[in-house]
Amino acid sequence: MNRMFFHAFLLLGTLAFAQVPMDSLFIRLNFSEDLNTMYVQQEIILLQDTKTTSFEFHAYANAYDSRETPLSKKLLTYRNDRLHFAPLSERGRIRDLIITNSIGDTINPEWLHSERFRINTFQQEIPQGVYHLKYTIDLPNQSFTGYGATDDKARLRYFFIHPVRYTDEKHQHYIGLDILQHAPTFYYIDSEQKNGVYIYADLPQKENNIFMGSVNYHPELIITKESYHNNLFTPAGNVFRAFPDPGHTPAAYRQAATTKTLDYLQEFFQETTPEIMLSREFVRDHYLDGIDDVELPFRRRIRIFPQLVRSELEQITPLTHKLAQQHIGVDLEQEHWLRNGLAEYIHQRFLLQEHPQALIVGQLPQRISLWRIKPLNFFQAATIPLHQRNQLIYRYFQLQRLDEAIETPFSQLGKMNQLVVSQYKAGLAFRFLGRYVGEDLFDEHVAQTISNNRLQTIYSNEFLESLSQKSGKNLDWFTDEMLTTSRNKDFKISSVKILADSIQIRIKNKSRSQIPILLTAKQQDSIVHRQWVYMPQKSGTVIIPKVDFDEISLNEDLHIDEVKIYNNYYRPGTLFNRKLRIGFFGDTESVEHYQLFLVPGLGWNLYDRWQIGMTVTNETVMPQDLSWTFTPAYSTGTGRITGGGGIRYNWYPEGTIFRRISPQAGAVYRHYDRDLAFSKWVLASSFEFRRSPADLIYKSLSLGYEQIHRQVRADATAEQLKLQNYNLLQARFNFWRTDILDERRANINFQHSNHFNKVFAETFHRLKLSPGRIVGIRLFAGYFLSHDIRESQFFDFGLDRISDYTFSYNLLGRSETEGLFSQQFVIAEGAFKSNFGVFANQLMATTNLEYPLWSFMDLYADAGIYKNHGHNLQFVYGTGVRLRVIPDFLEFYLPIQSSLGFEPTLPEYHKRIRFMFSFNLSRVIAFWRRGKF
């Protein structure tokens, strides 16, 4: 400790003259051979306050200590259960804590909760605010949050004991997010030198293994047994990568790119840190995806961007966010958007300034060819500028109304909003604001704000008030509407009249938005007129000088919270301001074209055999409010045209209990038996209930009417003729809780037909006991309120298979009663795997249990009761093994013991094996989205 306090003594004098008074932390660090344990000696010198009777401290390392900590619970909402199931040896904690005051008296801390303790000041005759601490840190496994120890490497952040210096402490638990508040603090970190161990930090390095500096962020340390020589020296600062050189870009290109990006960033961060450390994890979290070379078969590689450009794109994002972290101090819970939005704005400005012509797909359209044809040139996506990449990602979520108000507290945001959407939206809002006040003025204001608030907190109200004074423009609209709400805006050019010496433009403000509107007139992509219009009323007229133009637009390429952007454009000589464009496969949306897509399709079932067709649709890869699809196909099994079509409208009503209401209509024509077809007409609507994006519970209601006609054979019986035509009125309520440990799904259904009335419900409970053990429990119950055709089993509840009279399931051979296709299994109604051939026309109740044995094999057990009119109640059961080849998509069920007996000894056992095949794209997407947004 002697050397440490010698340096401390010298530095205290300089701190006395610092602009910003601050606490000081002097840390001497030692570590175990495997780097899993840290031994810390620490001295804390706190700012004096004459009214202080106690000091409080954070101990964030204890966030890993148990399953009940806020961190463990938060990770579960991200579908990360590694910490929850981690053994004690992989968890982190502070232990053996000893605290003494300035005269050596031992002090017992008062623990307020696991991550915070208090020290009371009793002896007024001795100096207060100087404390010596000695403790041990057991580092957690790095896989939990990215911080901790793994593979002879330790990444440290939030582990040292730190003083509390905030007024609002409600959110000051470590929950795996980088939002912990930090007051300006002087750090002195000294580590004992060990052979073969290297230490790197994002603090200025004064001597070997000695780092010190005044910062307003939690420092990051890398301790590793691998030496990295990745320093890139530039006049603006030195960049050090604390991980091995990936080696895909020559050093000369990386050096040139670093110099260029730091020179650019100096415009905003005028006093860049001399040493900028980038850890592997930080770069990964702030990496611009989609810039890596494309690997093709036979070791062929296609470079998307030239090496120098790729190196610039690789560096600009992490460097911008690292400097923003170090230089822009904000309330990370309430005003996270200010720092993240400015970082995004600065990053996007670099792409606009340095690479305005670069495309999101880079050089791929020119480098990929097929028989001298360059297919990517036919896609709208191949024309999108690179600087609109993040705006495109934001729009994907915006079109689904999943984005949230910019000012939403960080911890209340949904997962995808926390990761990307919120900062993209804030960055676009700053682009809009910068264009309104003048981009040069805005850039200068940002740079001055950052420079003038070094080691101080920047507040959004002060930032905006100062900008308003400099620009001479009222910015209340930005605070009142852009920040506080996600209410959709809708502007429209309703008419354009060309007069003798002017142009009269009629504009509708359909949403009564209070923000200004940017009106732009272009001729051959050159701006011939531009002005800002403020029109809070429902509609109004703007008169501009007469100019030659081929396009007039509103809020050109800056449609914040505006979903309907097609009506923002007027193009003379086009139908409804857009031209028709026919494309193949999916593509992005286009404001210039009505898009029609032709997508080849292929399907198969036992009766139609191969269905070779074409899907005609207006659906793009981006969600749409109105979408339609028509899918004609040629049936090779019948020689007829089959297929279907449908139209759907998504309405997002504001101020109601529903997030989305989706009316739809459709029809389908296919074969359900050999040479027998069915047709189905559907009118329906689904109602998705409103919820917070951070909520794990989904609820929806669906109502529908179906009219079904089935062809019958010429020799059909009277019973079969009754089943030729029928109508269904259905109501269904769905509930889904996506908790990774306790997932629950349930639905309640009512069906009314001209032949029956029935109600049925099912619940599915998936309980995770350990990383490889998930128990599934399903319950089903159904009851007929009335039933007019009891002589037929067509509408009955099926114990082990369903008749699928609604034609809703993907059955390969729906009418088969024997053979391979009769063995297809779907999880519906009774869901028994043993083949009983039982149907019930009065009531049925079953339970299905799945218990993991190992890897891809589960044990299943089915039990239930059923009753037919005029018969006694019956009980049945069945057990067996499930083989999960592709879970939820391709599975096999091998019955063992059931009410039929020991099934492996029964005749033709191979015919008793069932299989589940259910490839459904919407189900794949739902599986991927689960817990993400």
Side-chain angles (χ1 to χ4, degrees):
M1 292 286 284
N2 293 334
R3 183 172 67 148
M4 181 174 121
F5 288 113
F6 173 72
H7 285 282
F9 177 79
L10 294 178
L11 290 166
L12 283 177
T14 61
L15 286 174
F17 299 97
Q19 277 189 322
V20 180
M22 62 187 72
D23 299 322
S24 301
L25 274 63
F26 300 89
I27 299 170
R28 184 92 187 265
L29 187 62
N30 203 345
F31 35 84
S32 62
E33 189 67 27
D34 59 6
L35 305 184
N36 288 323
T37 305
M38 299 290 151
Y39 307 100
V40 183
Q41 297 180 69
Q42 181 174 346
E43 180 173 337
I44 301 177
I45 302 176
L46 302 172
L47 290 175
Q48 286 292 344
D49 185 340
T50 56
K51 297 181 181 180
T52 298
T53 58
S54 64
F55 294 106
E56 294 184 6
F57 299 86
H58 293 298
Y60 292 130
N62 289 336
Y64 300 85
D65 193 37
S66 76
R67 293 182 174 184
E68 302 304 317
T69 64
L71 171 62
S72 185
K73 294 178 180 179
K74 182 65 176 181
L75 290 177
L76 290 177
T77 67
Y78 280 9
R79 304 195 66 78
N80 180 347
D81 58 9
R82 289 190 293 269
L83 179 58
H84 180 85
F85 290 117
L88 187 64
S89 60
E90 293 185 6
R91 294 178 173 275
R93 66 193 56 79
I94 290 176
R95 58 182 172 86
D96 304 330
L97 174 62
I98 300 174
I99 305 174
T100 58
N101 60 18
S102 57
I103 61 173
D105 293 338
T106 299
I107 301 175
N108 294 321
E110 176 189 352
W111 287 92
L112 306 177
H113 53 73
S114 62
E115 298 174 46
R116 189 163 170 176
F117 65 85
R118 175 190 295 138
I119 292 177
N120 295 309
T121 60
F122 298 110
Q123 302 181 37
Q124 298 299 324
E125 67 275 8
I126 66 171
Q128 301 297 330
V130 180
Y131 298 98
H132 305 276
L133 292 79
K134 187 175 181 180
Y135 54 93
T136 300
I137 306 176
D138 292 329
L139 293 179
N141 190 293
Q142 191 174 328
S143 65
F144 304 145
T145 63
Y147 300 114
T150 183
D151 297 332
D152 294 329
K153 175 186 173 183
R155 184 185 182 213
L156 307 183
R157 199 175 185 203
Y158 310 123
F159 287 118
F160 303 119
I161 290 176
H162 197 280
V164 174
R165 287 294 186 190
Y166 314 102
T167 56
D168 180 7
E169 290 298 319
K170 290 185 295 185
H171 58 275
Q172 287 298 297
H173 290 277
Y174 181 53
I175 55 175
L177 304 171
D178 291 332
I179 59 171
L180 294 178
Q181 297 300 98
H182 194 290
T185 304
F186 174 80
Y187 283 92
Y188 176 97
I189 300 177
D190 181 7
S191 177
E192 181 178 313
Q193 178 69 46
K194 286 184 180 247
N195 292 331
V197 177
Y198 304 89
I199 302 177
Y200 309 102
D202 57 358
L203 289 169
Q205 185 171 2
K206 299 303 179 183
E207 295 181 22
N208 196 26
N209 290 345
I210 296 180
F211 304 88
M212 63 181 180
S214 299
V215 297
N216 60 349
Y217 59 89
H218 288 270
E220 180 179 342
L221 279 76
I222 303 292
I223 303 173
T224 176
K225 295 184 179 180
E226 185 174 3
S227 177
Y228 306 133
H229 302 284
N230 294 339
N231 284 58
L232 296 173
F233 302 98
T234 77
N238 304 325
V239 177
F240 174 76
R241 288 172 177 256
F243 56 94
D245 179 8
H248 52 65
T249 305
Y253 286 112
R254 289 195 295 112
Q255 180 69 63
T258 301
T259 301
K260 182 177 180 178
T261 51
L262 280 184
D263 283 347
Y264 164 78
L265 291 172
Q266 265 198 313
E267 297 179 33
F268 297 94
F269 306 100
Q270 297 172 1
E271 299 178 7
T272 55
T273 307
E275 298 284 348
I276 305 170
M277 186 195 76
L278 297 175
S279 66
R280 185 203 311 267
E281 293 79 10
F282 190 89
V283 171
R284 179 196 62 205
D285 292 341
H286 299 89
Y287 193 75
L288 191 65
D289 294 319
I291 64 173
D292 293 328
D293 297 345
V294 176
E295 297 286 348
L296 296 177
F298 309 108
R299 298 185 179 180
R300 187 185 173 195
R301 172 180 293 183
I302 296 181
R303 183 170 293 141
I304 298 181
F305 294 99
Q307 284 189 325
L308 180 58
V309 175
R310 171 186 166 166
S311 190
E312 292 176 15
L313 300 178
E314 188 179 60
Q315 295 193 46
I316 184 61
T317 309
L319 281 175
T320 302
H321 282 272
K322 173 58 75 170
L323 290 176
Q325 181 189 92
Q326 294 178 341
H327 294 268
I328 304 178
V330 298
D331 182 336
L332 290 172
E333 169 68 3
Q334 300 297 329
E335 296 196 324
H336 55 91
W337 59 269
L338 182 58
R339 186 176 81 180
N340 294 337
L342 288 176
E344 177 63 22
Y345 169 82
I346 294 169
H347 167 245
Q348 289 298 311
R349 184 180 174 279
F350 176 84
L351 299 181
L352 273 165
Q353 175 179 301
E354 302 298 333
H355 303 287
Q357 304 302 321
L359 301 177
I360 196 171
V361 293
Q363 304 174 120
L364 286 182
Q366 303 306 316
R367 298 182 70 103
I368 295 180
S369 62
L370 183 65
W371 299 307
R372 297 186 179 181
I373 298 175
K374 298 177 179 178
L376 293 184
N377 286 329
F378 294 98
F379 287 85
Q380 173 71 23
T383 67
I384 299 175
L386 179 63
H387 60 77
Q388 290 185 9
R389 171 189 176 274
N390 290 354
Q391 183 173 348
L392 193 68
I393 297 173
Y394 162 67
R395 184 156 175 78
Y396 176 81
F397 291 91
Q398 176 199 13
L399 288 172
Q400 300 175 83
R401 286 38 167 209
L402 291 172
D403 63 315
E404 299 172 85
I406 293 175
E407 278 192 339
T408 303
F410 192 86
S411 61
Q412 296 177 21
L413 291 171
K415 180 178 180 180
M416 291 306 297
N417 279 287
Q418 287 179 337
L419 295 179
V420 292
V421 180
S422 176
Q423 68 185 43
Y424 292 172
K425 183 175 182 177
L428 289 169
F430 281 132
R431 274 188 60 192
F432 191 96
L433 181 61
R435 189 174 291 183
Y436 179 71
V437 301
E439 292 174 341
D440 291 341
L441 185 148
F442 184 76
D443 293 347
E444 179 184 350
H445 178 65
V446 172
Q448 287 181 354
T449 301
I450 295 173
S451 177
N452 295 340
N453 290 274
R454 183 80 172 96
L455 296 178
Q456 297 185 45
T457 301
I458 301 174
Y459 297 97
S460 61
N461 59 335
E462 297 175 359
F463 175 84
L464 295 172
E465 287 173 7
S466 177
L467 179 61
S468 178
Q469 293 174 2
K470 289 180 181 179
S471 65
K473 296 183 177 181
N474 188 329
L475 303 181
D476 289 346
W477 57 269
F478 187 83
T479 303
D480 297 340
E481 187 161 347
M482 294 285 279
L483 299 181
T484 59
T485 179
S486 280
R487 182 171 62 90
N488 293 321
K489 303 167 181 60
D490 190 4
F491 302 107
K492 177 182 179 180
I493 297 178
S494 58
S495 66
V496 174
K497 292 183 179 180
I498 301 177
L499 306 178
D501 59 350
S502 62
I503 301 174
Q504 181 177 292
I505 305 168
R506 185 75 174 173
I507 299 175
K508 285 188 177 180
N509 184 354
K510 300 174 72 173
S511 57
R512 300 290 183 93
S513 176
Q514 304 297 303
I515 72 171
I517 311 168
L518 179 60
L519 175 67
T520 304
K522 284 185 175 182
Q523 175 70 22
Q524 295 182 351
D525 294 330
S526 296
I527 298 174
V528 294
H529 182 79
R530 172 173 282 180
Q531 73 180 68
W532 286 94
V533 179
Y534 185 68
M535 189 177 295
Q537 67 272 23
K538 187 174 182 179
S539 64
T541 301
V542 178
I543 297 177
I544 66 173
K546 187 174 183 179
V547 294
D548 292 331
F549 71 92
D550 54 27
E551 178 184 280
I552 294 177
S553 63
L554 303 178
N555 290 342
E556 178 194 17
D557 74 21
L558 285 175
H559 310 289
I560 307 299
D561 290 336
E562 191 171 5
V563 175
K564 298 178 181 179
I565 60 177
Y566 309 108
N567 56 12
N568 286 34
Y569 293 83
Y570 172 78
R571 300 180 182 91
T574 59
L575 181 64
F576 302 114
N577 298 323
R578 286 192 284 171
K579 302 175 183 179
L580 178 64
R581 177 176 178 270
I582 298 177
F584 296 92
F585 303 100
D587 204 348
T588 58
E589 62 182 349
S590 170
V591 296
E592 300 179 9
H593 302 93
Y594 289 103
Q595 297 189 104
L596 188 67
F597 299 104
L598 308 177
V599 185
L602 186 66
W604 192 91
N605 66 53
L606 184 61
Y607 315 113
D608 287 306
R609 299 294 177 173
W610 291 108
Q611 300 169 77
I612 305 170
M614 182 76 69
T615 296
V616 185
T617 181
N618 74 328
E619 292 184 351
T620 68
V621 296
M622 305 293 283
Q624 292 174 265
D625 287 350
L626 178 65
S627 60
W628 56 266
T629 301
F630 177 52
T631 57
Y634 174 74
S635 167
T636 62
T638 64
R640 300 173 184 173
I641 299 299
T642 62
I647 185 170
R648 178 188 181 101
Y649 180 75
N650 292 318
W651 175 40
Y652 299 85
E654 297 182 5
T656 70
I657 62 173
F658 299 113
R659 171 183 169 263
R660 177 171 59 192
I661 299 176
S662 302
Q664 55 191 300
V668 63
Y669 174 85
R670 287 193 180 92
H671 291 83
Y672 73 95
D673 205 341
R674 290 169 178 81
D675 297 320
L676 295 178
F678 75 91
S679 60
K680 180 171 79 167
W681 296 85
V682 179
L683 287 174
S685 186
S686 62
F687 303 81
E688 181 182 332
F689 289 89
R690 190 173 299 278
R691 67 181 184 88
S692 164
D695 198 346
L696 299 179
I697 295 178
Y698 300 75
K699 291 181 287 186
S700 67
L701 174 69
S702 60
L703 303 174
Y705 172 78
E706 298 180 4
Q707 187 178 74
I708 299 172
H709 170 75
R710 300 165 67 243
Q711 293 179 351
V712 296
R713 303 191 188 280
D715 58 350
T717 64
E719 175 187 313
Q720 291 172 335
L721 289 173
K722 286 183 180 180
L723 304 176
Q724 185 174 7
N725 298 295
Y726 52 93
N727 303 321
L728 286 174
L729 183 65
Q730 302 188 76
R732 178 186 178 101
F733 176 78
N734 296 285
F735 172 92
W736 188 14
R737 174 183 170 184
T738 61
D739 190 308
I740 188 174
L741 299 180
D742 187 10
E743 181 180 359
R744 301 182 183 185
R745 284 178 287 166
N747 59 74
I748 302 174
N749 304 264
F750 170 77
Q751 287 183 351
H752 166 76
S753 169
N754 50 331
H755 296 302
F756 67 88
N757 289 285
K758 68 179 178 181
V759 61
F760 55 97
E762 69 174 346
T763 67
F764 188 86
H765 186 188
R766 182 174 289 180
L767 186 63
K768 195 167 188 177
L769 305 179
S770 67
R773 296 172 63 222
I774 301 176
V775 174
I777 303 173
R778 177 182 177 271
L779 301 174
F780 170 82
Y783 182 76
F784 275 94
L785 303 174
S786 65
H787 198 329
D788 297 339
I789 311 182
R790 295 177 184 171
E791 65 274 15
S792 170
Q793 298 177 334
F794 188 65
F795 297 117
D796 293 356
F797 297 118
L799 183 68
D800 50 78
R801 63 174 296 155
I802 58 173
S803 60
D804 190 24
Y805 53 87
T806 63
F807 297 98
S808 302
Y809 294 91
N810 181 25
L811 298 177
L812 301 177
R814 64 179 65 249
S815 297
E816 300 305 293
T817 57
E818 60 181 24
L820 175 64
F821 296 102
S822 69
Q823 296 171 236
Q824 185 178 0
F825 168 78
V826 294
I827 301 177
E829 298 184 353
F832 266 55
K833 290 77 180 178
S834 293
N835 192 358
F836 288 86
V838 167
F839 291 85
N841 60 22
Q842 185 174 1
L843 69 86
M844 179 177 288
T846 63
T847 181
N848 314 109
L849 174 68
E850 302 166 356
Y851 188 84
L853 295 178
W854 66 79
S855 186
F856 59 91
M857 186 178 294
D858 296 341
L859 178 68
Y860 73 79
D862 303 323
I865 56 174
Y866 68 91
K867 186 179 185 305
N868 283 296
H869 277 280
H871 295 80
N872 294 329
L873 192 70
Q874 300 291 318
F875 170 79
V876 287
Y877 74 93
T879 62
V881 174
R882 177 176 74 161
L883 303 179
R884 292 178 286 114
V885 180
I886 304 176
D888 294 332
F889 303 106
L890 178 60
E891 301 177 348
F892 292 91
Y893 299 87
L894 286 70
I896 299 178
Q897 181 69 43
S898 71
S899 298
L900 299 173
F902 187 62
E903 297 203 32
T905 63
L906 298 179
E908 298 184 304
Y909 177 71
H910 64 280
K911 293 184 178 181
R912 301 177 182 275
I913 297 174
R914 308 288 295 278
F915 71 92
M916 187 270 282
F917 176 78
S918 179
F919 184 79
N920 184 308
L921 184 59
S922 62
R923 192 171 181 181
V924 175
I925 294 173
F927 180 83
W928 173 78
R929 284 181 51 162
R930 186 166 52 188
K932 292 181 172 62
F933 57 89

